Amino acid sequence: MANSYAAANAASDSAFANSMVYGGGLAIWATPSYNRVDVDGQRSGYGDYDGNVGGLTVGLDYTAGDNLRFGIAGHFGTGDLDANDAFGIATSNDIDYIGLSGYFGWSMCNFSLMLDGGYTRVSNDLTQTNALGALNADADVDVWNIGATAEYRFATGALDIIPHIALRYEGINTNSHNVMNAAGALFNIDSDTQHLLTIPVGIRFGKTICTGTWNVTPFVDAGVLFATGDREYTMRYNIAAPGVTRFSSSSRVIDSVSFDGSLGVQMENGKFFGGLEYNLLHSSNATSHALSATVGFNF
């Protein structure tokens, strides 16, 4: 389910952003985030849709020797999706998610390596009204992810130029669930597992400005996100009715190529650090706008 994928990635992106190496010692941080997605023309079992996902990620980590950082983060949030198919049938999905992730960052001179992985449980509460009446279903989705990112900083007098590349794997398992109406279960949908591989490639431009006790780093990042593997979720219906055979439909989770751009600012003042970021993910059929803010403290 597309919004399950969006919810899991909103959480893992927060953990990944904080795997960068800052100062030393123990640190705590929190990142509230909001993601808006609009899909039009992408093949979906529910038609075109738009959705919102908001949540909070809280992390605890430790930096050793100014170049090694590792930590854990918990995340939770909620969201909604509204879809309309070609026949004017509307579907609503209320989403809740919760999960845990771990991360690791290492720096040497101008080179940095980041590793992260985690798990997210997404609960989907779907409702739809059609010729069969008012339908509802509760579908749970388990998302596992692991990734590695490498970057290199070219320092110039005007700004820092940082090319980066990543490799990320996600296992998305949608559990078996029943579709119900007032009379009971109409049919069952089989479980489905997707194995998705994404390769984000990009370049970041930024420069640290020292003003008083503050270190402020504005940045802009532009790149391309390549996706391969099981990009579609397959729904296989089991109907307990005479003469009715099984049938299936599919929904695309992500397009094969997307533009991935962001801009924001990072800040440090003594033991305090924080930042603001806007991200745009755009493909031929989908557009996602994400906002996040981070606040943290080094002990």
Side-chain angles (χ1 to χ4, degrees):
M1 294 184 180
N3 253 36
S4 298
Y5 173 80
N9 277 275
S12 64
D13 287 348
S14 298
F16 164 74
N18 285 282
S19 64
M20 303 292 194
V21 176
Y22 292 93
L26 187 67
I28 58 171
W29 55 270
T31 300
S33 61
Y34 167 78
N35 184 291
R36 166 76 180 185
V37 60
D38 293 284
V39 175
D40 185 9
Q42 189 180 59
R43 186 167 73 245
S44 166
Y46 303 107
D48 298 337
Y49 63 87
D50 57 78
N52 304 274
V53 176
L56 178 67
T57 305
V58 180
L60 174 70
D61 56 47
Y62 184 79
T63 303
D66 293 330
N67 71 335
L68 182 67
R69 187 176 199 175
F70 50 91
I72 58 172
H75 51 265
F76 62 91
T78 188
D80 63 81
L81 176 151
D82 294 300
N84 287 279
D85 67 13
F87 303 100
I89 298 175
T91 303
S92 296
N93 184 5
D94 292 326
I95 298 166
D96 295 296
Y97 70 86
I98 188 169
L100 186 68
S101 59
Y103 56 93
F104 167 86
W106 174 77
S107 300
M108 182 60 69
C109 297
N110 291 327
F111 175 79
S112 295
L113 175 67
M114 287 78 69
L115 305 175
D116 69 280
Y119 165 78
T120 303
R121 162 59 69 97
V122 185
S123 299
N124 298 272
D125 181 9
L126 298 111
T127 58
Q128 182 186 95
T129 300
N130 58 30
L132 297 175
L135 309 183
N136 65 84
D138 293 321
D140 292 329
V141 180
D142 300 300
V143 182
W144 297 89
N145 64 78
I146 187 169
T149 300
E151 63 179 39
Y152 191 87
R153 181 174 64 92
F154 296 93
T156 70
L159 74 170
D160 293 338
I161 303 171
I162 308 173
H164 52 86
I165 185 171
L167 181 65
R168 301 191 62 81
Y169 164 80
E170 291 183 87
I172 307 169
N173 181 66
T174 302
N175 296 321
S176 175
H177 55 282
N178 292 322
V179 176
M180 316 282 291
N181 68 2
L186 287 176
F187 50 86
N188 173 267
I189 298 178
D190 287 346
S191 62
D192 183 71
T193 300
Q194 300 164 252
H195 301 282
L196 186 65
L197 189 68
T198 57
I199 305 172
V201 180
I203 186 167
R204 174 174 291 210
F205 303 92
K207 190 65 176 180
T208 300
I209 303 168
C210 299
T211 170
T213 59
W214 287 89
N215 293 327
V216 180
T217 308
F219 66 88
V220 59
D221 196 305
V224 179
L225 176 68
F226 301 97
T228 187
D230 302 321
R231 296 188 297 113
E232 294 187 353
Y233 159 58
T234 300
M235 292 177 285
R236 298 179 179 86
Y237 301 83
N238 301 301
I239 302 176
V244 179
T245 60
R246 293 182 60 185
F247 67 96
S248 64
S249 64
S250 60
S251 298
R252 186 172 299 161
V253 170
I254 186 173
D255 286 327
S256 59
V257 180
S258 304
F259 167 79
D260 189 5
S262 61
L263 58 88
V265 61
Q266 296 173 337
M267 300 167 284
E268 290 183 83
N269 186 349
K271 294 183 177 296
F272 167 83
F273 63 90
L276 299 169
E277 182 173 354
Y278 163 76
N279 174 263
L280 170 67
L281 187 66
H282 176 74
S283 66
S284 57
N285 296 297
T287 300
S288 171
H289 302 273
L291 295 171
S292 63
T294 296
V295 59
F297 187 82
N298 287 303
F299 291 93

